[in-house]
Amino acid sequence: MLPQEIRENIQRLIEAAERPREQVINVFYILQKHYGYFSDEAVREAAALLKMTPLEVEEMATFYDFLYREPVGKFVIQVCDGVVCWMFHENSIFDYLCQKLQVCAGQTTADGLFTVLPTACIGFCDRAPAMLINGVFYGPLTPAKVDEIIAQLRSEHCDLVICK
Amino acid sequence: MNNQPELVLLKNRRPDRPATIEEYRAGGGYAALAATLGKRSPQEVCQLVLDSGLRGRGGAGFPAGRKWAGVKEDAEFPRYLIPNTDEMEPGTFKDRVLVNADPHLVIEGIILSAYAVSAGKGIFFIRPSYEMDAELIERELEVARDAGFLGGNILGSGFSFDLEVHRSAGRYICGEASAQVNAIMGKRAHPNKEVHMAHQGLWGKPTIVNNVETLSCVPGILRQGPEWFKGLARTESGAGTKLYCVSGRVCKPDVFEMPIGTRLSEILDLAGGMCPGAEFKAVLPGGASTEFMPKKFYDVEMDFEPLKAVGHRLGTGAIIVFDKNTCLVGATLNLIEYFARESCGFCTPCREGLPYIRDLLWRIEIGEGKEEYIPLLREMARHMDRSYCAFAPGAAAPVLGLLNYFEEEIREHLSQKKCPYKGLGIEFRDSLIPMEKTESTAPENS
């Protein structure tokens, strides 16, 4: 069940908009933040709130790479695989993260903390190789820096949610 | 010769923080707004921008004034202006730097441009990896609103305009104007070539989509005139300055504002030249959807027309530098992998053709290439012109560049039956379609 407070927030957002459909992505983000990913229940809630069919919601939700239709960890690590970052990947940050966390692309660590995803160029080519964790930028990366970042996230459990 | 070129877009850039509204105003900011709204007609503003020769900085290079003229005087209302900060072209990060350097220059440019086409509402479209910049813009919009530059009856001129931020959820195709409009309307972001945005764009109303770098040139043009703007360029055909983003194997990757038409060699010098020990091999001059340029173009003038004259494109002005130790087959594979994944899947040449090209490149990269793949690659890359929008021809550009200038490198892969450069191209193998097993290793029926 979606808590009443969140439901009302979304309803206010939709009512304030000239057209409800322009709020689709914002509503999706709010639901995703609440459920941890864009779950089946989130699809149904979004459809009801936005007066769309679940199929229309699905059509949108599966299009975008910052909306997760499958469960993800507390921290979503999006490793840039744009061509500039690729150039600096002699010791691939992506492979390194997967090995370190013992996951494949899209998988979540057993403790539910981390999901690793390759992602389209994130626009930080001047600080390659780079990655985002829940929307926060990190770069230029080395395996040692990655170790440091992961250790910090593990110990501090900070609420690092900018874009998730 | 003037050694210190005039900065227009990044003159307020600071190492640690964005310029405030006070700092922007101290340098003449918002003066153009006060001198324009209600004092010059929108048609005059359009004409000045047309005369200035300003061309779109988002990749296509279409003259901004002509785009605006697409909204006829008797076109219906409301009209919309969409400042495009999607910036998904790999290698491009100029808009992020620009927004962070001087947010109020961007905002003033947007308001003036909205005035030129009589738009009442603007929607600042921004990609999710720039969330911090989206928040910055929202804060600064509030500041501009408090100063009376946004909202109803701006500066008593009778012109009303407001701007809001639209957060995207990713995908390269959202940078294309009609796809972006669909995205804002809460539809799947497919391009739409059936209607003209200037006639039937957002919500079926006249809509102008411009890159934010383009819009940020407008305050200067209105304050100092079209001739001044033209004079900023180093080329006869060019106008203004350009934000060149340099990345790859250079010492100081960064955004450099230079007169448009500055030579590639000079821009690379600004970026500190090649990394220690690295030797120049090629650049992509304007992001991922332009062709590789080898050393013979080292002194080319980085402007629309000079590049076109030698068969290349300025694109977004994002210069990606490759050195002699980087495999260009691998780099092209990475780019095609990107485009194949980002294709919206709407039309067949793009959806099916790009994975086909990717597989050919991959076979070559891992040493399983054959001679006949070379003409096949060329044919497939040329067929990308048959797709619905400009995405697939853009995706084919690096493949054509590879074939046109680095065929020898492809042949080295064929003759050595491996990548001569340590095979960097298959780093992200999990996201590639697995190759079918060759017959000799396939399990036999017992």
Side-chain angles (χ1 to χ4, degrees):
Chain A
M1 268 296 281
L2 191 63
Q4 196 54 27
E5 192 192 337
I6 295 176
R7 185 184 306 279
E8 281 167 11
N9 274 346
I10 294 176
Q11 279 163 343
R12 268 197 298 276
L13 195 67
I14 293 171
E15 276 159 25
E18 245 175 88
R19 294 177 180 78
R21 281 295 277 264
E22 72 191 50
Q23 289 298 333
V24 166
I25 301 295
N26 288 338
V27 172
F28 286 9
Y29 274 140
I30 296 173
L31 291 168
Q32 173 161 279
K33 194 169 174 180
H34 171 69
Y35 290 106
Y37 70 107
F38 204 70
S39 62
D40 291 347
E41 194 179 317
V43 170
R44 286 193 296 274
E45 291 287 357
L49 285 159
L50 289 157
K51 299 193 172 43
M52 293 163 72
T53 65
L55 189 66
E56 284 174 314
V57 172
E58 193 78 271
E59 189 188 36
M60 295 286 292
T62 54
F63 188 77
Y64 294 107
D65 50 352
F66 279 68
L67 292 168
Y68 316 120
R69 273 297 275 123
E70 289 182 33
V72 289
K74 185 173 180 216
F75 300 109
V76 179
I77 307 177
Q78 289 175 309
V79 186
C80 179
D81 67 356
V83 69
V84 181
C85 285
W86 166 85
M87 218 188 291
F88 293 93
H89 271 176
E90 282 92 347
N91 301 304
S92 164
I93 293 298
F94 186 80
D95 284 353
Y96 181 78
L97 266 165
C98 288
Q99 278 158 21
K100 181 179 170 66
L101 298 170
Q102 291 291 299
V103 288
C104 304
Q107 275 186 343
T108 302
T109 50
D111 57 8
L113 276 185
F114 300 103
T115 303
V116 184
L117 296 171
T119 195
C121 177
I122 56 175
F124 290 88
C125 316
D126 48 345
R127 281 134 92 189
M131 66 181 179
L132 298 171
I133 302 183
N134 291 3
V136 178
F137 162 79
Y138 294 89
L141 298 168
T142 58
K145 268 192 196 159
V146 169
D147 287 347
E148 209 177 291
I149 294 161
I150 296 293
Q152 198 189 358
L153 292 177
R154 272 201 176 122
S155 60
E156 291 181 11
H157 278 249
C158 52
D159 202 17
L160 183 76
V161 177
I162 282 205
C163 180
K164 191 191 146 199
Chain B
M1 272 298 280
N2 191 352
N3 285 335
Q4 212 57 17
E6 183 172 357
L7 292 183
V8 180
L9 301 172
L10 295 182
K11 70 173 178 182
N12 290 327
R13 186 183 190 184
R14 288 163 168 71
D16 52 341
R17 62 173 177 83
T20 63
I21 192 169
E22 290 79 19
E23 286 161 341
Y24 178 59
R25 295 187 76 171
Y30 287 112
L33 194 72
T36 302
L37 299 194
K39 301 196 172 83
R40 283 169 164 155
S41 71
Q43 292 77 12
E44 265 178 84
V45 176
C46 268
Q47 192 59 47
L48 286 169
V49 170
L50 194 62
D51 293 344
S52 76
L54 171 63
R55 293 177 67 168
R57 306 301 200 220
F62 193 79
R66 265 175 58 204
K67 190 184 254 190
W68 294 358
V71 179
K72 302 288 173 222
E73 267 179 64
D74 59 354
E76 57 179 325
F77 290 92
R79 302 173 183 176
Y80 297 99
L81 176 72
I82 305 178
N84 184 351
T85 318
D86 201 39
E87 192 158 65
M88 290 279 293
E89 185 69 38
T92 313
F93 47 99
K94 64 187 178 64
D95 297 340
R96 169 174 60 82
V97 169
L98 172 63
V99 164
N100 264 290
D102 211 353
H104 286 280
L105 169 68
V106 175
I107 295 170
E108 187 185 10
I110 293 168
I111 304 168
L112 286 167
S113 308
Y115 180 73
V117 294
S118 304
K121 189 172 172 184
I123 291 138
F124 194 92
F125 190 98
I126 190 160
R127 59 180 301 185
S129 59
Y130 290 178
E131 175 59 23
M132 293 189 201
D133 311 298
E135 286 170 15
L136 166 73
I137 281 291
E138 277 181 333
R139 279 196 304 275
E140 298 307 323
L141 284 179
E142 207 49 58
V143 172
R145 219 168 269 132
D146 288 344
F149 299 139
L150 280 170
N153 191 18
I154 299 170
L155 303 177
S157 65
F159 173 66
S160 300
F161 174 76
D162 216 332
L163 185 61
E164 60 183 55
V165 173
H166 175 94
R167 288 170 164 78
S168 174
R171 290 283 168 220
Y172 179 74
I173 194 64
C174 291
E176 200 273 347
S178 59
Q180 189 159 100
V181 163
N182 274 335
I184 295 170
M185 294 195 290
K187 293 185 193 168
R188 205 170 158 107
H190 289 160
N192 177 1
K193 298 277 140 203
E194 312 305 316
V195 294
H196 200 290
M197 287 297 108
H199 304 146
Q200 280 182 292
L202 187 64
W203 312 115
K205 304 292 179 194
T207 301
I208 293 293
V209 182
N210 277 135
N211 176 261
V212 286
E213 184 190 347
T214 315
L215 297 174
S216 301
C217 295
V218 174
I221 293 170
L222 295 186
R223 211 166 53 230
Q224 306 191 63
E227 288 311 314
W228 162 82
F229 192 71
K230 273 190 176 160
L232 290 169
R234 292 243 173 108
T235 45
E236 206 41 50
S237 59
T241 59
K242 177 79 191 81
L243 300 181
Y244 296 102
C245 5
V246 188
S247 63
R249 295 279 180 205
V250 290
C251 285
K252 281 192 313 178
D254 202 351
V255 174
F256 303 95
E257 181 180 10
M258 290 296 285
I260 201 164
T262 300
R263 290 182 191 278
L264 175 61
S265 49
E266 189 179 340
I267 299 169
L268 295 185
D269 284 346
L270 286 172
M274 298 298 290
C275 290
E279 198 186 327
F280 181 92
K281 186 196 239 172
V283 297
L284 288 169
S289 46
T290 55
E291 287 191 25
F292 289 107
M293 297 200 309
K295 183 92 186 195
K296 72 169 179 176
F297 296 106
Y298 199 67
D299 268 326
V300 73
E301 292 167 319
M302 292 293 287
D303 190 2
F304 297 102
E305 293 306 321
L307 276 166
K308 197 172 156 197
V310 292
H312 287 276
R313 288 198 321 113
L314 179 63
T316 58
I319 302 163
I320 306 173
V321 184
F322 298 86
D323 75 327
K324 283 259 155 65
N325 292 325
T326 302
C327 171
L328 290 189
V329 175
T332 312
L333 176 58
N334 170 284
L335 293 163
I336 284 294
E337 175 66 23
Y338 171 84
F339 286 117
R341 195 178 59 199
E342 290 298 313
S343 168
C344 78
F346 174 74
C347 75
T348 315
C350 184
R351 183 186 61 242
E352 305 295 331
L354 294 177
Y356 195 101
I357 293 174
R358 175 187 62 193
D359 285 355
L360 290 175
L361 285 169
W362 195 38
R363 284 164 201 255
I364 294 169
E365 175 68 5
I366 65 172
E368 293 183 7
K370 295 186 179 128
E371 181 63 30
E372 60 260 37
Y373 290 179
I374 297 177
L376 200 51
L377 269 176
R378 201 180 290 276
E379 192 188 346
M380 289 302 289
R382 286 199 182 129
H383 282 334
M384 290 303 109
D385 277 348
R386 295 172 187 255
S387 60
Y388 186 68
C389 77
F391 177 104
V399 181
L400 290 169
L402 180 74
L403 289 161
N404 290 342
Y405 303 108
F406 296 97
E407 196 175 312
E408 201 40 51
E409 197 169 316
I410 303 178
R411 284 182 197 284
E412 279 172 44
H413 284 72
L414 300 183
S415 61
Q416 295 185 25
K417 294 196 182 308
K418 67 179 174 73
C419 173
Y421 306 88
K422 294 188 289 183
L424 292 180
I426 48 173
E427 283 303 327
F428 294 106
R429 20 189 119 65
D430 53 276
S431 57
L432 294 166
I433 297 167
M435 294 277 286
E436 68 272 31
K437 290 260 191 319
T438 53
E439 274 167 43
S440 57
T441 56
E444 299 287 336
N445 286 336
S446 52

